[in-house]
Amino acid sequence: MEKAAAVTLILTVLLILLRGKCAGVEVYGAFLSGAKKGMEAAWQLLPALTGMLLMLSLMNASGLTALLVRLLSPLTAILNLPQEVAPMLILRPMTGSGSLAALQEIFAQYGADSRVGRIASVLMGSSETIFYTMSVYLGAAGVKKLPGALGVSLGLGYAPECFYTTDELIEELRPLAGSDVVVTVHMRQEGDGVADALREMLTVARELRCPVEISHLKGIGRANWGRAVPEMLRLLENARAEGLDVACDVYPYSAGSTQLIHVLPPEFQKGGLDALTAALRDPTDRAAMRGRMETGSDFENITHLVGFENVVPISLHTEEYKPFEGKSLAEIADTLGKDPYDALFDLLAAERCEAGMIDFIAAEEDIEAILRAPFSVPISDATYPVEGLCHPRVYGSAARFLAHYVRERGILTLPQAVHKLTMQSADRLGLSRKGRIAVGADADLCLFSPENIRENGAYTAPRQLASGMDAVFVAGVPEIMDGQFTGETRGRVLRAH
């Protein structure tokens, strides 16, 4: 029985990985067209394989769990995770299929109620929906007990998480109720519906009584500038006075950066990037997308809120469109003699939706108001891209905060700014040895003269290191001395203390 389960499990996982559908993200490998067609045919076997795995696991749940622990023990050792987490590691990327009995064991182990019945009732439905139901719930259940976990991060503005209702979201996060685990969230909307999106997250905080961090608070679009942010700051102040542990952060730039597909209506993003690319080439779907984007206010309709002239595609790969990197969609459309919607759809289809963007969306007065709030901290929100044009925040967020908003604009004193960058940020994530100078704390120190801090990057030339730090010590070891890198690299992945 155990050998049969092992063989079935390996075949299932290999199919998933080769097909490139892991964690709800399409991965395009360098398959030859013939090989890819063969994989597409093999993919049709997945339901049978997962069904076989399901039957085997139901017949021998404890055996399957033990098998997963043994198979994945090298990985859990490398990641410094408890071996018991092995089943969760393998079940999460299985796009919704898997062992209900093993799930039940995991739920019980992590102190969560059994969800087997509800998941079983929809097991053969949308694989992406079930995957995210499993992954968010298992993540919430596991992180509560997993030593060192910092929190749970959600992107409700993105597919497929945007398809959760508020009640479903609360239900999936239920394992965190009453805990001190922080839920950080990119809200459902940051445009016309941003205040209602914040009310939704306050409802989550009120229901679960766990900390909620609103990521990169802003109001997108001129119609919302100076209006939405003051309203949201009042909502947060009132919620905190009520006793809710809610706070926010903000990046010190009026432009953001994310995937270019984020400008599209979310319902067209079901099914992954292959399906979306096909829709972008279909005249009927294109007309439907255009109709929604011309008037829609029930999603983060960025081109409608700020205009095509304020959306700049980046990370372009094709010979046809790479020369346009750094040009706005309006400029690209004008150069190609196309309607802006057609230019956008054609670009995304040609790039197979693997493009990013820099979008100029926020107001300086709103950024300053958020930074002044005592419950806010500055962030970079910068993790990508690794090639081509990027947002200057990748290199200069802290320097811009200190130079522009503190030294030049004077919206905070230097001690207030340093506190937000250090102790306040560390405490929010339970990093008790970070962000302070104290006996027993990590010896992470930055020495600088405020007048020397400079952000050197720009939107047209972003890959420029900031300057002005005389010395930087990480764990007591100098990584920068006299403004120069020493070659030491003592940074480590952080875990909650």
Side-chain angles (χ1 to χ4, degrees):
M1 187 73 68
E2 189 172 309
K3 289 181 180 178
V7 171
T8 308
L9 173 66
I10 291 169
L11 287 172
T12 303
V13 174
L14 281 175
L15 266 180
I16 291 169
L17 293 178
L18 288 174
R19 174 59 159 74
K21 297 195 74 164
C22 185
V25 178
E26 294 283 348
V27 179
Y28 295 100
F31 298 120
L32 297 174
S33 59
K36 188 170 183 181
K37 288 179 181 177
M39 280 307 307
E40 292 294 337
W43 181 249
Q44 306 305 315
L45 297 174
L46 182 61
L49 286 169
T50 52
M52 188 183 303
L53 180 61
L54 175 59
M55 288 191 297
L56 289 167
S57 61
L58 285 171
M59 295 167 67
N60 188 9
S62 61
L64 179 65
T65 301
L67 172 67
L68 291 174
V69 169
R70 286 204 304 276
L71 287 176
L72 295 177
S73 59
L75 179 60
T76 54
I78 291 171
L79 296 175
N80 194 27
L81 293 173
Q83 283 193 337
E84 309 86 75
V85 180
M88 183 162 58
L89 292 177
I90 200 65
L91 287 167
R92 284 183 66 181
M94 286 180 63
T95 59
S97 300
S99 164
L100 299 185
L103 277 175
Q104 191 172 25
E105 290 186 55
I106 295 168
F107 293 152
Q109 178 181 348
Y110 285 95
D113 60 301
S114 173
R115 310 294 293 289
V116 172
R118 195 173 79 81
I119 292 180
S121 68
V122 289
L123 185 61
M124 300 312 293
S126 165
S127 63
E128 284 189 354
T129 301
I130 305 309
F131 162 72
Y132 267 88
T133 296
M134 288 169 59
S135 96
V136 171
Y137 189 83
L138 284 171
V143 79
K144 186 175 179 181
K145 295 292 185 69
L146 193 60
L150 294 176
V152 171
S153 179
L154 298 173
L156 294 181
Y158 297 91
E161 289 170 74
C162 62
F163 302 123
Y164 274 117
T165 67
T166 306
D167 288 342
E168 289 170 342
L169 182 63
I170 291 170
E171 189 175 358
E172 304 311 332
L173 293 173
R174 182 75 61 186
L176 300 181
S179 75
D180 59 358
V181 175
V182 181
V183 176
T184 65
V185 60
H186 175 137
M187 293 192 297
R188 199 176 296 276
Q189 268 211 54
E190 294 180 323
D192 291 344
V194 66
D196 287 336
L198 176 57
R199 290 185 181 94
E200 176 185 37
M201 292 316 301
L202 295 180
T203 297
V204 172
R206 192 172 290 112
E207 177 71 22
L208 298 179
R209 292 289 163 175
C210 67
V212 171
E213 178 80 7
I214 306 301
S215 295
H216 42 67
L217 189 69
K218 68 176 78 70
I220 295 177
R222 189 174 298 278
N224 296 307
W225 293 352
R227 179 188 65 79
V229 164
E231 180 181 0
M232 289 188 291
L233 292 176
R234 286 192 298 270
L235 287 171
L236 287 167
E237 288 169 358
N238 292 340
R240 289 170 64 84
E242 179 188 331
L244 299 183
D245 186 357
V246 291
C248 67
D249 48 58
V250 58
Y251 47 77
Y253 294 88
S254 59
S257 183
T258 188
Q259 302 158 314
L260 183 56
I261 61 171
H262 194 52
V263 305
L264 302 176
E267 64 267 25
F268 289 95
Q269 298 179 44
K270 291 181 178 179
L273 299 187
D274 276 342
L276 179 55
T277 300
L280 287 163
R281 291 171 174 156
D282 180 87
T284 302
D285 287 334
R286 286 167 68 112
M289 286 187 209
R290 178 175 183 142
R292 290 275 284 126
M293 293 172 69
E294 286 178 336
T295 60
S297 61
D298 58 334
F299 68 101
E300 202 162 289
N301 194 354
I302 291 175
T303 55
H304 183 67
L305 289 165
V306 302
F308 287 93
E309 68 274 15
N310 285 309
V311 178
V312 177
I314 59 174
S315 298
L316 303 178
H317 306 94
T318 64
E319 291 185 9
E320 181 182 4
Y321 285 101
K322 191 168 181 57
F324 290 110
E325 187 165 52
K327 304 291 186 182
S328 73
L329 284 173
E331 290 175 300
I332 295 171
D334 185 61
T335 301
L336 296 176
K338 294 182 178 180
D339 173 271
Y341 291 97
D342 287 331
L344 168 66
F345 299 156
D346 290 344
L347 184 153
L348 279 172
E351 296 286 333
R352 299 188 64 82
C353 297
E354 294 181 329
M357 69 173 175
I358 296 173
D359 47 341
F360 295 84
I361 49 180
E364 281 291 323
E365 65 188 72
D366 287 343
I367 297 171
E368 293 183 2
I370 297 168
L371 286 172
R372 287 191 187 97
F375 47 81
S376 74
V377 295
I379 60 167
S380 67
D381 194 39
T383 57
Y384 57 85
V386 295
E387 60 179 329
L389 202 64
C390 67
H391 194 297
R393 66 189 184 183
V394 175
Y395 291 82
S397 289
R400 177 174 172 78
F401 171 59
L402 291 172
H404 178 67
Y405 290 101
V406 178
R407 186 181 68 225
E408 296 171 8
R409 298 286 298 161
I411 67 165
L412 295 168
T413 66
L414 184 61
Q416 288 172 328
V418 169
H419 177 68
K420 283 177 177 284
L421 284 170
T422 55
M423 187 174 179
Q424 186 173 336
S425 296
D427 287 352
R428 186 62 173 156
L429 293 176
L431 300 170
S432 59
R433 295 197 300 272
K434 298 292 183 183
R436 66 205 75 213
I437 301 174
V439 175
D442 296 339
D444 300 334
L445 300 168
C446 298
L447 282 67
F448 63 95
S449 297
E451 65 273 14
N452 294 334
I453 297 294
R454 294 283 184 278
E455 178 203 15
N456 296 313
Y459 289 107
T460 54
R463 297 184 185 275
Q464 309 292 325
L465 293 176
S467 58
M469 284 292 166
D470 296 308
V472 174
F473 294 84
V474 178
V477 178
E479 294 203 3
I480 293 177
M481 187 60 69
D482 298 323
Q484 303 297 316
F485 285 99
T486 65
E488 294 286 347
T489 53
R490 295 302 179 97
R492 297 292 182 268
V493 173
L494 297 178
R495 296 175 181 270
H497 300 150

